[in-house]
Every structure is written in C-alpha cells, then in structure tokens.
Amino acid sequence: ILHSLMTYNNNDFMASLVTDVRVDSFIVAMEAADTRKDSSGEDVGWIAFSSATGSTSSTSFTIGTANDGTNDGVDDSPHVIDLTSANFNDNPDIVVSLNGVWGVDGSWARGAGVWSKDMQHAYAEEDQIKSSEREHIDEQFAWAAFTANTDLIATASALE
C-alpha cells in the first residue's frame, strides 16, 4: 500500500499511516507525531499493488515490501531497497511508504540520499518535537519502482 496525504487543511504536521495490511484489507490513519494535533478534515490517497517484478515491451517494474532487520532512523543506517531484479537501465521513478508502526514513536518514509538504478535508501523519520534523537527501530517499507516516465494506463472491460 502506497499512501499519502492529499490535502493540507490545517497548518500542523500530519502524515498518512497504514497498518494491518492484509490481502483484502488495511487500516488508514493519520500520524501527527508528538504535535498532539487533530487530524480531522484531511484526506488520504492510496494505491494497492501485489508484490511483483516484471516488464512489458516498454517498461520494467518492481513492487515490494520488506524490513531489513536493522534500525531505520535518521540517526541509524537507512533501509536499503534492492532494485536489481528489475534490471533498470537508468534511475527509476520510485515511491516509498511505511506500512505499519513497529515502535512506540511514529514515523514516515523519507529518502536517504542514495537513489540509483540498483537501489534506493530510505529512512523512517521521526519528529523532533519532544526529543532531538532520530533513532528508529526496523520498519516495514513498501515501494513501487517503474522505468522513468512510465504512464500507468488501466483499461476496463465492457460490462456484459
């Protein structure tokens, strides 16, 4: 599940949060970190994919979820997303989200500097409202990477 806020209806920090991902359901919530702000009035957009790697005549893709067993905070080492299975020729377009909250501190996905045809690094970033430390335990990341400038076009079959 890739997710993001679609609105900015208040002036406070907010991020989307998805937990309890299953084949047929998931829970969407708002992450306000330690701001103690109300998240009412915000809309969340999401798209669900099945994990897969493949290609068509004009595009390659890889979609997946994983945790890597290491702490993922900004004060830690980043989560490394391996993109080599898609055999990209150049840096792909990639979207990364967190699926779940394993620790007591909320977090959201943030790029961590490395972005190449073979890998993407990401952090589980925390706020610094009550504490300046940015350590964070291992989290479940979700991603979808496509050949750069890919257009996703869906066709619907005619109703019978």
Side-chain angles (χ1 to χ4, degrees):
I1 308 292
L2 301 174
H3 53 91
S4 181
L5 286 179
M6 303 304 291
T7 56
Y8 188 73
N9 292 326
N10 63 54
N11 293 322
D12 300 313
F13 167 79
M14 296 288 154
S16 57
L17 174 67
V18 168
T19 61
D20 297 325
V21 177
R22 303 182 196 295
V23 171
D24 60 351
S25 66
F26 58 92
I27 296 172
V28 177
M30 301 297 287
E31 168 64 68
D34 284 328
T35 63
R36 306 217 189 289
K37 301 296 182 175
D38 181 6
S39 63
S40 62
E42 300 294 349
D43 295 326
V44 175
W46 59 269
I47 185 168
F49 292 102
S50 295
S51 294
T53 298
S55 63
T56 66
S57 62
S58 61
T59 190
S60 296
F61 65 90
T62 184
I63 300 165
T65 61
N67 57 319
D68 62 7
T70 64
N71 288 351
D72 297 319
V74 174
D75 287 345
D76 305 306
S77 60
H79 177 88
V80 178
I81 298 170
D82 182 358
L83 303 172
T84 57
S85 63
N87 296 312
F88 292 116
N89 293 323
D90 296 299
N91 292 6
D93 290 336
I94 184 168
V95 178
V96 180
S97 292
L98 286 179
N99 280 354
V101 178
W102 293 41
V104 296
D105 292 320
S107 62
W108 51 94
R110 171 189 161 190
V114 174
W115 168 52
S116 73
K117 68 182 186 67
D118 295 324
M119 71 180 68
Q120 168 75 51
H121 288 191
Y123 286 127
E125 179 156 39
E126 296 181 10
D127 68 75
Q128 291 182 296
I129 292 171
K130 290 187 175 180
S131 157
S132 63
E133 64 84 16
R134 304 296 276 283
E135 296 175 358
H136 196 83
I137 68 167
D138 189 28
E139 288 285 2
Q140 180 88 15
F141 286 83
W143 63 88
F146 298 89
T147 300
N149 301 315
T150 295
D151 289 326
L152 299 177
I153 301 170
T155 57
S157 60
L159 297 175
E160 296 179 16

